[in-house]
Amino acid sequence: MSPLFTMKFWAAAVMAAAFLLIHSPLADAQHRHDPPPATAPSPTPTPDPMKGMEMPATPSTTPTLAATPDPMKGMDMPAVTVASPQTTPTPAATPDPMAGMNMPGMSPGPDDHDSLTVMRGDEMLLRVGRGRDNFLSMNQNGSGTSWQPATSPMYMWQQMNGPWMFMYHAEMKLGVNYQNGPRGVTKFESQNWFMPMAIRQAGPGTLQLKAMLSLEPFTFSPGGSPQLFQTGETYQNRPLRDKQHPHDLFMTLSATYTVPIGDRATWFGYLGMPGEPALGPTAFMHRASAAENPSAPLSHHLQDSTHISFGVATTGFTYRWFQVEGSVFNGREPDENRYNFEFHPWNSRSFRVSVAPSKNLTAQWSYGWLHEPEAEEPGNIRRMTASVSYNQKIAGGTWATSLIWGRNLLQQNSPVITNSYLAETTVNFKDLNYFYSRLELADKSDLLARSEEAQIGIPAGRHPIFRVAAFTFGAARDIFTTDKIRVAIGGDATLYRAPSILNPIYGDRPAGFHFYLRFRPGRMTAESHAGHTP
């Protein structure tokens, strides 16, 4: 082995050791506060690069070794002093070069061992019980027990009170809704909801209490928000058409208890009155891909309409990126009284499998049997849904996209099958700006009253299915932001396409437009998180 190679090897080793020492918090403290050595060897003015490799002759007595010239001198690195062999120095504690970095996928440090939550960047992790390494991602929490990507942003307020953590999610859009054509109207309205949560460690697991309230019974016009081609639920004992029904005053009152099974698995139980069964994707108002859109999808009642069910019990199991769950629930849609609690038999059931192979991606498949969900349309429904949601962080924001399919099989004298296909996306860029779009196809079997069917020549006894397309494009911009609130101004346009036989009812070019102000809490970040150790 050549002397030059040996010199380079030791120089690299010294450089690596110095790098670790410099970047260690412990080493930094020692470097700042340790006194300098009592004596320092006089440096050779111009050392021979090979001279440092020569060992001095061994005398009859053991002298103090001369300091080895530093081959890295001049690179502004701290000098390394060789200790005298006459004494055995006490070695310093070996610092952890990764301490304090709190990287995704790493266990929290000792200071976080008892904390209820841990922040990893802008992702909030909720500890399950008192285990060290078993966490749930709060960003991944969708509606009910559904999953969305763990990189989804959270807009919320947070506070601590003893062992309890309180979180408050909310949103309000206030504006003008214009729908054109013979069946169109213009209304001033507000879509809104408020969701408080209370979380604490309880026994061997973690308890989450959740409520969700909406003032839409007061801020929508009677019957609901105008929306061409929309159907579902009733008003004055007649099916709603061309309107999106208001949500109930009490949308959710639920409790979830999660118990760790080792470090990677959990079991959970969920009760809601009202609540959301394990059926369908995350409800539209909670999806990051639909966050700026004030309208419900036309396919809402083929995909996620069970998010308000008065009576739900769900249990499930998770292992790392996999979740399987099942529910029994009341499948009847809420009635026209938007302020009461409804009590019906829990005679419907559902099953859902969800996966989250990465922080950016989730997918689900679900199947449900609903007992007579529509009050004015007797018959049971078999519903199947599948969806994929993807969220990617970009400069100054995120890009969230969802693809959703839903199918209803209505069991009557003759089965009626309806399908829906939806693609939606929301891009938040440069922090303040948003662009959103929704493209969907939805089959509608109850779009017209019998008199309207006769008007366009549909014989009595037939129940036609119309496939309607809707294309929405919109934008918003935050005009006032603090760490507590964000206010935006936005608007969108929706173009509808339907079979030409419907032109006498809806006109040749049906369209809808929104212009609104949006209010929501500030975005949750590591800096705004209220740390807590019970």
Side-chain angles (χ1 to χ4, degrees):
M1 182 180 298
S2 68
L4 181 59
F5 175 85
T6 304
M7 184 194 70
K8 290 181 177 180
F9 171 83
W10 285 107
V14 171
M15 180 184 293
F19 176 84
L20 291 177
L21 288 170
I22 287 175
H23 288 269
S24 164
L26 179 60
D28 284 346
Q30 292 174 336
H31 182 69
R32 287 193 301 269
H33 301 297
D34 284 355
T39 60
S42 301
T44 304
T46 308
D48 183 354
M50 304 302 294
K51 184 176 182 180
M53 306 304 296
E54 298 174 1
M55 301 298 293
T58 304
S60 56
T61 59
T62 306
T64 302
L65 295 177
T68 303
D70 183 5
M72 305 305 296
K73 183 178 180 182
M75 298 184 67
D76 202 19
M77 303 289 282
V80 180
T81 304
V82 179
S84 170
Q86 295 175 345
T87 60
T88 304
T90 302
T94 304
D96 180 4
M98 304 301 288
M101 295 186 69
N102 209 20
M103 298 291 287
M106 293 174 55
S107 299
D111 294 339
D112 297 323
H113 181 61
D114 292 325
S115 63
L116 182 61
T117 60
V118 175
M119 292 299 294
R120 304 257 175 93
D122 290 342
E123 182 184 10
M124 177 188 286
L125 301 181
L126 175 65
R127 188 181 304 279
V128 182
R130 294 188 178 274
R132 182 176 178 84
D133 300 315
N134 201 322
F135 292 89
L136 298 175
S137 171
M138 294 300 291
N139 302 64
Q140 188 172 292
N141 243 355
S143 56
T145 55
S146 67
W147 279 356
Q148 62 179 343
T151 50
S152 301
M154 290 198 305
Y155 298 92
M156 53 168 279
W157 300 298
Q158 181 197 10
Q159 70 178 88
M160 305 304 304
N161 187 353
W164 289 94
M165 178 177 72
F166 295 95
M167 302 168 65
Y168 306 94
H169 301 252
E171 184 163 297
M172 180 177 71
K173 295 183 177 77
L174 179 68
V176 177
N177 176 0
Y178 167 66
Q179 305 287 308
N180 76 352
R183 294 177 69 156
V185 294
T186 302
K187 294 291 181 180
F188 182 76
E189 63 187 15
S190 171
Q191 299 85 8
N192 54 79
W193 52 268
F194 172 63
M195 187 172 72
M197 298 176 63
I199 304 172
R200 66 165 294 163
Q201 294 170 340
T206 298
L207 175 67
Q208 299 182 57
L209 304 178
K210 183 186 299 184
M212 188 166 178
L213 312 173
S214 176
L215 295 179
E216 289 179 359
F218 309 101
T219 60
F220 276 10
S221 59
S225 171
Q227 186 178 12
L228 296 178
F229 301 101
Q230 185 63 281
T231 59
E233 299 197 14
T234 61
Y235 178 64
Q236 296 181 345
N237 297 318
R238 291 183 295 177
L240 277 173
R241 298 184 176 98
D242 302 311
K243 290 183 178 181
Q244 166 60 28
H245 60 81
H247 290 111
D248 279 38
L249 176 63
F250 297 99
M251 299 172 66
T252 298
L253 291 173
S254 69
T256 306
Y257 188 65
T258 307
V259 177
I261 304 175
D263 290 337
R264 297 190 175 187
T266 65
W267 168 87
F268 65 89
Y270 168 94
L271 288 174
M273 185 63 185
E276 179 177 335
L279 180 60
T282 296
F284 69 90
M285 73 282 298
H286 295 294
R287 292 197 296 262
S289 56
E292 303 301 321
N293 196 330
S295 296
L298 292 182
S299 49
H300 172 50
H301 283 265
L302 288 86
Q303 297 171 355
D304 56 352
S305 63
T306 53
H307 72 102
I308 302 179
S309 294
F310 280 92
V312 180
T314 301
T315 188
F317 171 83
T318 67
Y319 179 73
R320 300 180 66 186
W321 48 266
F322 174 80
Q323 176 172 281
V324 59
E325 55 189 325
S327 301
V328 293
F329 61 101
N330 157 43
R332 178 63 64 92
E333 296 279 7
D335 61 21
E336 299 174 28
N337 186 342
R338 302 295 175 179
Y339 324 107
N340 67 342
F341 289 86
E342 302 173 31
F343 300 92
H344 300 286
W346 296 15
N347 49 17
S348 301
R349 51 194 180 271
S350 64
F351 174 80
R352 179 166 60 197
V353 176
S354 304
V355 295
S358 76
K359 289 188 175 184
N360 293 339
L361 180 67
T362 60
Q364 67 84 30
W365 175 89
S366 56
Y367 179 85
W369 186 84
L370 287 69
H371 181 75
E372 296 189 348
E374 297 287 352
E376 298 300 318
E377 187 176 11
N380 301 325
I381 286 180
R382 296 182 182 273
R383 177 173 297 168
M384 188 183 300
T385 78
S387 64
V388 177
S389 293
Y390 183 80
N391 188 75
Q392 177 66 55
K393 290 188 176 182
I394 61 175
T398 60
W399 188 348
T401 300
S402 294
L403 304 175
I404 304 171
W405 166 76
R407 168 182 286 181
N408 278 359
L409 170 60
L410 176 61
Q411 297 174 307
Q412 292 180 324
N413 295 331
S414 58
V416 177
I417 298 176
T418 51
N419 285 282
S420 64
Y421 309 88
L422 179 148
E424 64 186 12
T425 191
T426 296
V427 184
N428 171 213
F429 57 100
K430 294 186 177 179
D431 188 46
L432 304 178
N433 306 291
Y434 307 82
F435 169 80
Y436 60 94
S437 178
R438 177 184 290 152
L439 313 176
E440 61 178 324
L441 296 172
D443 294 339
K444 296 291 181 176
S445 62
D446 51 358
L447 193 58
L448 303 178
R450 177 65 201 118
S451 60
E452 294 168 325
E453 292 178 348
Q455 176 185 343
I456 60 177
I458 297 176
R462 291 188 57 189
H463 297 284
I465 297 175
F466 303 101
R467 175 157 292 185
V468 179
F471 310 99
T472 300
F473 301 92
R477 179 178 172 84
D478 286 325
I479 56 175
F480 178 79
T481 64
T482 70
D483 60 343
K484 299 297 183 183
I485 192 170
R486 285 183 170 236
V487 182
I489 186 170
D492 63 44
T494 300
L495 306 178
Y496 300 99
R497 291 294 179 266
S500 58
I501 193 174
L502 295 176
N503 287 358
I505 307 296
Y506 286 95
D508 296 339
R509 294 180 178 83
F513 304 89
H514 291 93
F515 182 77
Y516 61 86
L517 287 172
R518 185 260 291 143
F519 303 83
R520 67 161 62 117
R523 182 187 295 132
M524 185 68 172
T525 64
E527 291 75 18
S528 63
H529 171 249
H532 172 60
T533 300

